Amino acid sequence: MYPSAAAASPPRRDFISVTLSPEEGRGSGGYNNSKAWRRRSCWRKWKQLSRLQRSIILFLCPALALCGVISYSSLGEPWKSLANKSLSDQRTEAAIPGLKLANPAVLPAPQKADGHLGDYPELAPQKPPKLPHGRRGPPSLQLKPPRRNVRLKTQYDTSKAVEEPVQAEREENPERPVISWRGAVIEPDQSPEPPSGKVKEAEKPSSVEAEEQKEPVPINERQVAVIEAFRHAWRGYRAFAWGHDELKPLSKSYSEWFGLGLTLIDALDTLWILGLKEEFEEARKWVASDLVFDKNVDVNLFESTIRILGGLLSTYHLSGDSLFLEKAKDIGTRLMPAFKTPSKIPYSDVNIGRGTAHPPRWTSDSTVAEVTSIQLEFRELSRLTGDDRFQRAVEEVTRQVHSLSGKNDGLVPMFINTNSGQFTHLGVYTLGARADSYYEYLLKQWIQGGKKENELLEDYMRAIEGVKKHLLQRSQPKKLTFVGELAHGHFSAKMDHLVCFLPGTLALGAHNGLTADHMKLAEALIETCYQMYAQVETGLSPEIVHFNLHAQKGHKDVEIKPADRHNLLRPETVESLFYMYRFTGDKKYQDWGWEILQSFNKYTRVPTGGYTSINNVQNPSNPEPRDKMESFFLGETLKYLFLLFSDDIDLINLDKFVFNTEAHPLPIWVPA
Ligand code: DMJ
């Protein structure tokens, strides 16, 4: 259904074939005689020359040869790059069915009408210039920028032209924190210090201290397709929802959740990683001038931590721009009232303007996943600012949850009470909604802290054993391994799409030295998650599936209930595909991700800009668009697809970074 690039690519020719004429091949006597004759005749002529004439010729020959060598080396490069360009363009077009680089109908021409979005920029690779000493914040964690071997536009080459002014600026005023962004100069905001004091000189993430800059790896055709999808989504957001939380692409409007530009912040580091420099600069300007947290709004602690705090921290690490750290400290500080509860288990909601917090109206419970999946971000905020209040607050939660009763072989219930600090609604266990990222953050915190916090690892290992013992089953007819749910001793063959984070997390654990069994389980589960897409009419997974435990004629493994057949553009499967490809190098994972991207493009893309959630993955003729683009589509789904298609392990190196649950990479404190 979806041809793989390998199948569609023309055979590569890495050789030049020279065909000799039959005469030349055989060699005639006439040819040899004539050559010998010419040699003799030349020698005779040389002898006839005077000594002076011979000396002049002997002097001129080497001089001309030298000139030739010099001029070839300066003129040769442009010719070489011209030749490369046309070859790579051809390969791109051959590998992506229907893709014509010069054809705006497929790679739409950038929108000019609004006067902001320029043409596809030429992002030629360059090493990020070293930032001046004394600037606040860590050295830029700038990863080698992905290089385009597929040129979308060859209008101009900015790489050298822009680096020179940066250099000049630095020499003129070495103290001024000029941030270079792949050739662009970004003036840092002159905003005042955040409310609660000075952001301390950040610790240098050791992961980058000694990193030598290697040559960037060129990006490939599938990555170009992701960039194109991102730009399409961004175009819609920019035109109809700029600065608002979410795009409503069909009604060409927006919806607000917290009123904090959620999509824009969630997408900042994706813009960076994809190399979308103009868009990044424009978004940065919005953050500098319009992102204000001093607002009388209730925000959800978990959602604003993983999307806003996480997004700002990772963008700070990637760009080295202190604006993002200042904003991170501001929002982090404003979220702290959530922890003022009788038990120190945080409330779900905080008013970031008033400094008050509360649980939801109907209960004093918080969700377990929510209170245990904010640790990566707050710990990192403490490390960067030197203010340990953030870390202490979240580690108190970890400490309490670690020793609570009510677990079932490491599996946790879904709710925890903010007064008593005890689990509630005991007896129900899932790896899906309300519990999922508890498990993810056990492992990831252990990795973040340099694999020293043994209790985190113990809880993680015990939980995976619990999953194996209570929740793993195999479906019929394909015998797909899946993770079901347990309610008061009764097994349910129900699996949320959210559970598809698990293969990636298991693979990450195995990569970090945990048992190879985890990798085996990861391989089995990612196959299942893929089938949740492949067995459905649109090629897109529903929100929830039920697996068949007994073979029935004409039935597939996956059953979908009418209430569950929506797709919210979620990332978990492509996230796991990314980890699986990174750790195994098995191209089938890239091919599966490619199929999923095609399906998103076919059924969720809105022609006027943006992508939409859909209500019915089983109806290709009318998938019933929902008119909403979730911020995680840009923050996570497209980012993971881009990384999945990359062969550059240094593009967010997993021995140096750990992704938060919203796909924002944070540095590992003591890297492997
Ligand atoms: C994201 O906000 C995060 O990945 C979270 O952990 C789960 N839900 C969404 C994506 O599906």
Side-chain angles (χ1 to χ4, degrees):
M1 184 172 174
Y2 307 104
S4 72
S9 298
R12 280 185 63 169
R13 289 168 192 253
D14 295 331
F15 55 87
I16 298 169
S17 117
V18 179
T19 311
L20 298 172
S21 72
E23 285 80 358
E24 285 164 338
R26 264 181 257 119
S28 75
Y31 173 76
N32 284 337
N33 286 345
S34 122
K35 198 172 168 189
W37 180 85
R38 276 206 309 270
R39 221 182 282 134
R40 274 199 304 276
S41 147
C42 283
W43 180 245
R44 235 179 272 128
K45 289 214 169 89
W46 175 256
K47 282 289 195 189
Q48 283 163 5
L49 295 174
S50 73
R51 178 172 289 191
L52 178 67
Q53 285 169 319
R54 276 190 258 161
S55 308
I56 290 170
I57 290 170
L58 284 174
F59 169 77
L60 280 178
C61 281
L64 285 172
L66 190 65
C67 288
V69 168
I70 291 166
S71 58
Y72 175 79
S73 63
S74 60
L75 292 173
E77 279 309 311
W79 288 108
K80 249 189 265 171
S81 67
L82 271 180
N84 288 345
K85 174 195 164 293
S86 64
L87 273 177
S88 68
D89 280 359
Q90 282 166 21
R91 279 203 290 269
T92 310
E93 292 171 3
I96 304 178
L99 181 73
K100 280 260 172 282
L101 289 178
N103 181 355
V106 181
L107 270 180
Q111 193 174 344
K112 289 238 166 102
D114 55 19
H116 288 284
L117 285 173
D119 223 331
Y120 290 107
E122 170 59 19
L123 298 177
Q126 68 170 63
K127 290 180 181 176
K130 289 225 161 53
L131 291 161
H133 293 298
R135 149 175 104 58
R136 274 200 276 142
S140 167
L141 278 194
Q142 172 47 37
L143 324 151
K144 275 83 36 196
R147 188 173 65 185
R148 292 170 184 234
N149 65 345
V150 180
R151 295 195 155 201
L152 296 176
K153 184 148 178 31
T154 53
Q155 195 184 22
Y156 55 87
D157 187 335
T158 56
S159 62
K160 290 220 170 56
V162 200
E163 186 164 15
E164 278 154 23
V166 174
Q167 188 61 44
E169 170 87 335
R170 248 183 278 134
E171 277 158 19
E172 235 172 64
N173 186 356
E175 290 310 308
R176 197 160 165 215
V178 175
I179 312 295
S180 168
W181 196 90
R182 299 192 190 156
V185 180
I186 299 171
E187 291 300 325
D189 187 39
Q190 303 299 316
S191 60
E193 294 295 344
S196 56
K198 202 166 176 279
V199 174
K200 157 188 163 221
E201 169 76 23
E203 277 180 48
K204 286 183 182 180
S206 47
S207 56
V208 283
E209 273 177 332
E211 186 175 30
E212 18 88 59
Q213 295 285 328
K214 289 181 231 136
E215 267 305 295
V217 174
I219 64 168
N220 57 48
E221 298 84 352
R222 287 178 174 183
Q223 287 179 288
V224 171
V226 178
I227 291 173
E228 192 279 326
F230 186 96
R231 295 189 73 141
H232 183 78
W234 190 251
R235 190 171 301 136
Y237 176 73
R238 191 183 176 288
F240 311 120
W242 185 250
H244 297 285
D245 283 343
E246 290 142 339
L247 169 68
K248 294 178 76 176
L250 293 178
S251 48
K252 300 198 178 94
S253 62
Y254 57 84
S255 55
E256 295 292 28
W257 188 4
F258 310 141
L260 295 173
L262 208 55
T263 294
L264 188 148
I265 301 174
D266 224 357
L268 283 169
D269 58 4
T270 311
L271 286 168
W272 182 280
I273 290 166
L274 268 55
L276 297 175
K277 132 182 117 171
E278 285 170 23
E279 290 86 344
F280 180 84
E281 284 169 33
E282 191 180 28
R284 188 223 180 258
K285 272 191 198 128
W286 183 87
V287 172
S289 54
D290 294 308
L291 179 58
V292 177
F293 294 126
D294 190 9
K295 274 187 174 172
N296 180 12
V297 286
D298 276 1
V299 304
N300 174 283
L301 170 68
F302 163 73
E303 297 291 357
S304 49
T305 299
I306 64 169
R307 300 185 199 214
I308 300 176
L309 179 56
L312 291 168
L313 287 173
S314 69
T315 307
Y316 168 62
H317 278 293
L318 297 176
S319 67
D321 184 341
S322 62
L323 166 72
F324 300 108
L325 178 57
E326 283 160 12
K327 293 287 180 190
K329 184 166 183 197
D330 190 4
I331 184 69
T333 306
R334 291 173 185 280
L335 291 174
M336 288 302 281
F339 296 90
K340 284 189 197 146
T341 68
S343 65
K344 298 189 180 162
I345 299 297
Y347 290 133
S348 58
D349 298 281
V350 193
N351 187 304
I352 53 173
R354 290 193 180 150
T356 54
H358 58 88
R361 237 170 261 133
W362 58 92
T363 176
S364 54
D365 287 352
S366 286
T367 298
V368 169
E370 293 195 358
V371 301
T372 56
S373 313
I374 50 181
Q375 279 68 8
L376 289 174
E377 299 82 356
F378 277 95
R379 279 156 49 115
E380 177 60 9
L381 185 59
S382 274
R383 196 183 69 87
L384 288 172
T385 59
D387 181 345
D388 71 352
R389 281 177 307 146
F390 308 112
Q391 180 156 6
R392 276 195 283 115
V394 293
E395 289 189 345
E396 171 62 19
V397 180
T398 309
R399 195 190 61 72
Q400 288 192 38
V401 172
H402 171 71
S403 43
L404 277 186
S405 58
K407 291 184 198 158
N408 186 3
D409 290 318
L411 303 176
V412 290
M414 299 189 293
F415 297 98
I416 186 165
N417 189 271
T418 50
N419 293 321
S420 67
Q422 299 296 313
F423 288 131
T424 64
H425 301 79
L426 301 185
V428 182
Y429 303 100
T430 173
L431 265 275
R434 301 184 187 280
D436 48 359
S437 43
Y438 159 74
Y439 304 99
E440 179 187 351
Y441 269 38
L442 289 174
L443 178 78
K444 288 184 170 178
Q445 285 180 83
W446 177 69
I447 292 170
Q448 178 190 43
K451 306 189 203 172
K452 288 184 269 198
E453 295 152 290
N454 291 336
E455 290 185 345
L456 293 166
L457 180 61
E458 280 163 24
D459 287 354
Y460 176 74
M461 295 301 283
R462 196 167 298 136
I464 300 304
E465 286 312 301
V467 169
K468 287 189 198 164
K469 188 168 164 191
H470 300 289
L471 304 182
L472 274 195
Q473 280 283 0
R474 298 180 100 190
S475 66
Q476 295 293 346
K478 288 199 164 191
K479 301 197 179 355
L480 301 174
T481 302
F482 70 93
V483 182
E485 297 184 353
L486 196 65
H488 311 292
H490 294 289
F491 179 79
S492 158
K494 162 182 179 270
M495 179 165 150
D496 294 353
H497 183 272
L498 288 168
V499 181
C500 289
F501 81 93
L502 187 60
T505 299
L506 288 167
L508 181 65
H511 174 74
N512 278 279
L514 306 188
T515 165
D517 275 4
H518 285 198
M519 194 62 189
K520 283 227 160 58
L521 180 55
E523 281 167 359
L525 288 173
I526 191 61
E527 165 81 40
T528 306
C529 290
Y530 167 64
Q531 289 298 331
M532 286 164 62
Y533 287 71
Q535 292 196 10
V536 180
E537 288 80 347
T538 55
L540 291 172
S541 169
E543 180 73 358
I544 299 170
V545 297
H546 288 77
F547 286 94
N548 279 317
L549 292 174
H550 308 287
Q552 292 175 65
K553 224 177 169 197
H555 282 246
K556 296 179 190 165
D557 298 69
V558 168
E559 297 281 348
I560 305 167
K561 306 211 161 155
D564 304 332
R565 58 191 185 195
H566 48 289
N567 178 295
L568 305 183
L569 313 170
R570 285 198 191 275
E572 290 76 18
T573 295
V574 295
E575 167 185 354
S576 284
L577 288 171
F578 156 64
Y579 285 105
M580 296 306 292
Y581 180 67
R582 268 288 167 97
F583 299 139
T584 66
D586 188 336
K587 300 256 178 217
K588 83 177 172 205
Y589 298 124
Q590 289 186 323
D591 293 342
W592 292 353
W594 181 241
E595 288 179 21
I596 292 171
L597 177 61
Q598 308 293 303
S599 299
F600 278 133
N601 274 330
K602 197 161 173 192
Y603 296 107
T604 71
R605 184 172 163 121
V606 178
T608 46
Y611 288 73
T612 179
S613 308
I614 54 173
N615 265 331
N616 191 351
V617 292
Q618 292 180 296
N619 187 354
S621 57
N622 181 15
E624 299 169 28
R626 276 192 161 197
D627 196 18
K628 179 157 167 170
M629 183 173 78
E630 300 279 349
S631 78
F632 50 69
F633 185 61
L634 301 190
E636 299 194 67
T637 310
L638 292 176
K639 184 190 289 155
Y640 281 130
L641 280 165
F642 186 78
L643 294 171
L644 163 66
F645 298 143
S646 171
D647 281 312
D648 181 2
I649 62 155
D650 284 322
L651 187 58
I652 314 294
N653 185 318
L654 292 174
D655 293 324
K656 295 175 181 173
F657 290 92
V658 61
F659 283 94
N660 84 341
T661 192
E662 188 75 7
H664 298 303
L666 300 173
I668 293 172
W669 299 341
V670 185

